[in-house]
Amino acid sequence: MFSIDTIHAARERIAALAHRTPVLRSRTLDAQTGATLFFKAEHLQRSGSFKFRGAANAVLSLTDEQARRGVVTHSSGNHAAALALAARIRGIPAHIVIPEGTSRAKVEAVRRYGARIIPCPPTMAGREAAAERVRAETGAELIHPYNDFRVMAGQGTAALELLEDVPDLDTIVVPISGGGLAAGVATAAWALRPAIRIIGVEPAGAADALRSLQAGTIVREPEAATVCEGLRAFLGPLTFPVLRKHLDGIVTVADSETLASMRLIWSVLKQVIEPSAAAAPAAVIGKRIPLSQTSRVGIVLTGGNLDFDTMPQPGDPA
Amino acid sequence: MFSIDTIHAARERIAALAHRTPVLRSRTLDAQTGATLFFKAEHLQRSGSFKFRGAANAVLSLTDEQARRGVVTHSSGNHAAALALAARIRGIPAHIVIPEGTSRAKVEAVRRYGARIIPCPPTMAGREAAAERVRAETGAELIHPYNDFRVMAGQGTAALELLEDVPDLDTIVVPISGGGLAAGVATAAWALRPAIRIIGVEPAGAADALRSLQAGTIVREPEAATVCEGLRAFLGPLTFPVLRKHLDGIVTVADSETLASMRLIWSVLKQVIEPSAAAAPAAVIGKRIPLSQTSRVGIVLTGGNLDFDTMPQPGDPA
């Protein structure tokens, strides 16, 4: 079963490896939103995103026998780098199936952590087939990016820390992709503070979780259309029921709002967050979530991995 | 006289207003440079740069009688915003002379803090004439961006904090423009830890401080040619002798190195720093400063004010 106890156990397991990330504040954003905001800075987590929590918990949960055979996953993003780093720390093989077309910087991040990279066609079927082939060949343990209790529990540790630092939050806002973070955070927060509101945020162009909750079953559409690379996945059979039980609502934000909020956070907080990490703040900044002047709102800044080398830069000579 | 006592007094004066900024670390950059680096995060200071320290100290040093008449300065950059904020906090008028052609975002930052903005021709003569006119009309106190002991003392408080947090630094690296920060930091660090090395960094295209130290007198050339807007000033008669006495060397960096280091810091530290703030790290990352494996190096990240709205962004739809 998946519960607060699973999450407490994950926290003990990863304590020596994961950063306890800081909680950031901003007078300017408080004034702009009329509430009191607490940003859980997971872009400062190891590997640059909260994904390290779940990956580390999964890797450290393996028996020595399992660990020797290594781990495998398919991911083009933050889970890939996080799993590669967690495996390197334990000193075991990591096989990462990466869709063709993934940016060089993301592939390099995984390679830098010493993982073996297996290219695959850029489709979910292609990814799953390649990962299954690696699993069959190596006996490596599949660590799914979200549909895995070990991963969900790891992600939930962010909420334990946040509520320790700010016990009287009345709302926590998290982005939803496959639902691993949202499920972990909602489970932890609901257990510690039953009256708290947990609000999920999706890009308007990838609002499958909203539809799923409305339909009462996992809906695998629309095909994601969003610049938020990290928010394109569908819910899984393990995350969906948790969200159905503990989530108080889902709001959607347009990519334009998300990108404007990303720039605002860069500019005001001086923190580099990636587009996917700006969706949750966008919902608050854009007043999509009803808040009062006494509201104390936790917002998870999920990651800060951007490919700066291939993009025009502030400061570039024109 | 300008001494560590002046800086201690400044610290007491500004303690309630200025942030005690954190010192940031990076395993990646330590590994890359072969030393142990400590980044003093002045981009997280109020108004987005270390300039708030000097401005606040100057504003709080005024008698009530002086304060009533307000303050005036000429600046297109971080000193303007810092002085506007410091004046607003004390509740006194600020008159900021801003050269025509200054970016809208920088002007808006000053306006947001409630200052009166006086446009002027974009030349040093035009700036000084406009500021003098305002001073004559209003009786406001001129707060020079760097050639002012109150300002230099305020900037030096960054070194007091850094050496409290990391007492055993052997090197501190600071950028040099007009020399206010470098003079304050060098004075404080030399008094607290006489054996410490203080290294200044200039853009290769604005290496007037290097030439000045070589010539033994203030050299006002070359005309600055650098993307680092904050590093274009010449030394002043108050900063030059302090640097001559306490600085252990100046190294220069190419803009290309500075911009590459800016991106690296964005990417690795997830911190938004402006180009001018990347010159000092560039000197360390580019191995322009001899370091050993036991070196413990303090680097001041001076500011994080960039105009994101008018530039192409990571995450922009193509």
Side-chain angles (χ1 to χ4, degrees):
Chain A
M1 270 310 300
F2 183 66
S3 73
I4 182 82
D5 297 331
T6 332
I7 300 170
H8 280 304
R11 187 181 187 188
E12 278 194 38
R13 207 172 278 121
I14 70 174
L17 298 191
H19 291 325
R20 177 167 186 143
T21 55
V23 174
L24 307 178
R25 304 287 314 277
S26 163
R27 292 166 205 251
T28 304
L29 296 179
D30 285 359
Q32 190 166 333
T33 57
T36 308
L37 310 184
F38 300 87
F39 294 95
K40 179 65 171 166
E42 286 298 299
H43 64 296
L44 303 178
Q45 186 51 265
R46 292 184 76 176
S47 81
S49 84
F50 73 91
K51 294 279 190 180
F52 182 72
R53 296 176 182 271
N57 188 49
V59 164
L60 295 178
S61 298
L62 301 175
T63 65
D64 286 346
E65 170 64 22
Q66 291 174 311
R68 255 194 303 278
R69 294 192 297 263
V71 289
V72 57
T73 199
H74 52 89
S75 164
S76 61
N78 288 333
H79 177 66
L83 188 64
L85 176 57
R88 189 184 70 172
I89 292 169
R90 185 156 180 182
I92 65 174
H95 311 275
I96 312 286
V97 173
I98 297 189
E100 284 153 16
T102 297
S103 79
R104 197 191 52 76
K106 290 198 167 165
V107 177
E108 274 315 303
V110 174
R111 199 188 307 277
R112 198 165 51 239
Y113 291 133
R116 173 186 165 218
I117 290 167
I118 302 103
C120 76
T123 62
M124 190 49 74
R127 288 162 59 153
E128 287 175 351
E132 174 51 29
R133 202 160 50 239
V134 172
R135 203 198 54 69
E137 282 166 19
T138 62
E141 177 86 0
L142 177 69
I143 311 292
H144 192 275
Y146 51 88
N147 198 56
D148 182 313
F149 285 140
R150 299 166 295 190
V151 172
M152 293 157 65
Q155 321 306 34
T157 62
L160 297 184
E161 294 176 7
L162 177 58
L163 283 166
E164 260 178 22
D165 286 350
V166 196
D168 58 349
L169 290 179
D170 53 65
T171 305
I172 294 180
V173 186
V174 287
I176 301 184
S177 182
L181 175 67
V185 165
T187 299
W190 181 84
L192 295 173
R193 195 167 166 82
I196 204 166
R197 277 192 308 174
I198 309 294
I199 307 291
V201 180
E202 286 188 302
D208 60 287
L210 177 61
R211 291 199 196 182
S212 298
L213 288 194
Q214 287 169 341
T217 186
I218 297 175
V219 176
R220 290 175 171 267
E221 57 179 30
E223 187 83 26
T226 172
V227 298
C228 300
E229 290 183 2
L231 300 181
R232 293 177 183 160
F234 298 123
L235 299 182
L238 299 185
T239 57
F240 172 69
V242 177
L243 297 188
R244 206 175 172 194
K245 185 165 172 198
H246 290 309
L247 213 62
D248 294 288
I250 294 183
V251 301
T252 63
V253 289
D255 278 358
S256 57
E257 296 174 279
T258 297
L259 292 173
S261 292
M262 179 182 80
R263 288 168 207 187
L264 187 62
I265 283 172
W266 288 32
S267 167
V268 171
L269 285 181
K270 313 297 182 197
Q271 300 299 299
V272 173
I273 62 167
E274 60 190 77
S276 299
V284 175
I285 291 164
K287 302 192 191 293
R288 300 305 181 91
I289 300 170
L291 298 175
S292 75
Q293 293 223 335
T294 59
S295 291
R296 293 169 70 79
V297 184
I299 301 172
V300 184
L301 298 180
T302 48
N305 293 325
L306 280 160
D307 188 354
F308 292 115
D309 284 338
T310 61
M311 294 176 185
Q313 292 301 309
D316 267 356
Chain B
M1 272 309 301
F2 183 66
S3 73
I4 181 84
D5 298 329
T6 332
I7 299 170
H8 279 304
R11 187 183 188 188
E12 279 194 36
R13 206 172 280 122
I14 69 173
L17 298 192
H19 291 325
R20 178 169 187 141
T21 54
V23 173
L24 306 178
R25 305 285 314 277
S26 164
R27 292 167 203 250
T28 303
L29 296 178
D30 284 359
Q32 191 165 333
T33 57
T36 308
L37 310 183
F38 300 88
F39 295 95
K40 178 67 171 165
E42 286 296 300
H43 63 297
L44 303 179
Q45 185 52 265
R46 291 184 77 178
S47 81
S49 84
F50 74 92
K51 293 279 189 180
F52 183 72
R53 296 175 181 272
N57 188 47
V59 164
L60 295 177
S61 297
L62 300 177
T63 64
D64 287 346
E65 169 63 22
Q66 291 174 310
R68 255 193 303 278
R69 293 192 297 265
V71 289
V72 56
T73 200
H74 52 89
S75 163
S76 61
N78 288 334
H79 177 66
L83 187 63
L85 176 58
R88 190 184 69 171
I89 291 169
R90 185 154 178 186
I92 66 174
H95 311 274
I96 313 286
V97 172
I98 297 190
E100 283 152 18
T102 297
S103 78
R104 198 190 53 75
K106 290 197 168 166
V107 177
E108 275 314 303
V110 174
R111 200 188 304 278
R112 197 164 50 237
Y113 291 135
R116 172 185 165 217
I117 290 166
I118 301 104
C120 75
T123 63
M124 190 48 75
R127 288 163 58 152
E128 288 175 349
E132 174 50 30
R133 204 160 46 240
V134 171
R135 203 198 54 69
E137 283 166 16
T138 62
E141 177 86 359
L142 178 69
I143 311 293
H144 192 277
Y146 51 88
N147 197 56
D148 182 312
F149 285 141
R150 298 165 296 190
V151 171
M152 293 157 65
Q155 321 306 32
T157 61
L160 297 185
E161 294 176 7
L162 177 57
L163 284 166
E164 260 178 23
D165 286 349
V166 196
D168 58 348
L169 291 178
D170 52 66
T171 304
I172 294 181
V173 186
V174 287
I176 301 185
S177 182
L181 175 68
V185 165
T187 300
W190 181 84
L192 295 172
R193 196 167 164 82
I196 204 167
R197 277 192 310 175
I198 309 292
I199 307 292
V201 181
E202 286 189 302
D208 60 288
L210 176 61
R211 291 200 196 180
S212 298
L213 288 193
Q214 288 168 341
T217 186
I218 297 175
V219 175
R220 290 175 171 268
E221 56 180 30
E223 187 83 26
T226 171
V227 297
C228 300
E229 291 183 0
L231 301 180
R232 293 176 183 162
F234 298 124
L235 299 182
L238 299 184
T239 57
F240 171 68
V242 177
L243 298 188
R244 205 174 174 195
K245 185 164 174 199
H246 291 308
L247 213 62
D248 295 289
I250 294 184
V251 301
T252 64
V253 290
D255 278 358
S256 58
E257 295 174 279
T258 296
L259 292 174
S261 292
M262 180 181 79
R263 287 167 207 188
L264 188 62
I265 283 173
W266 288 32
S267 165
V268 171
L269 285 181
K270 313 296 183 198
Q271 300 298 299
V272 173
I273 63 167
E274 59 192 75
S276 298
V284 175
I285 291 164
K287 302 193 192 292
R288 301 305 181 88
I289 300 170
L291 298 174
S292 76
Q293 293 222 333
T294 60
S295 291
R296 294 169 70 78
V297 184
I299 302 173
V300 184
L301 298 179
T302 49
N305 292 324
L306 279 159
D307 189 355
F308 292 116
D309 285 338
T310 61
M311 295 173 184
Q313 292 302 306
D316 267 356

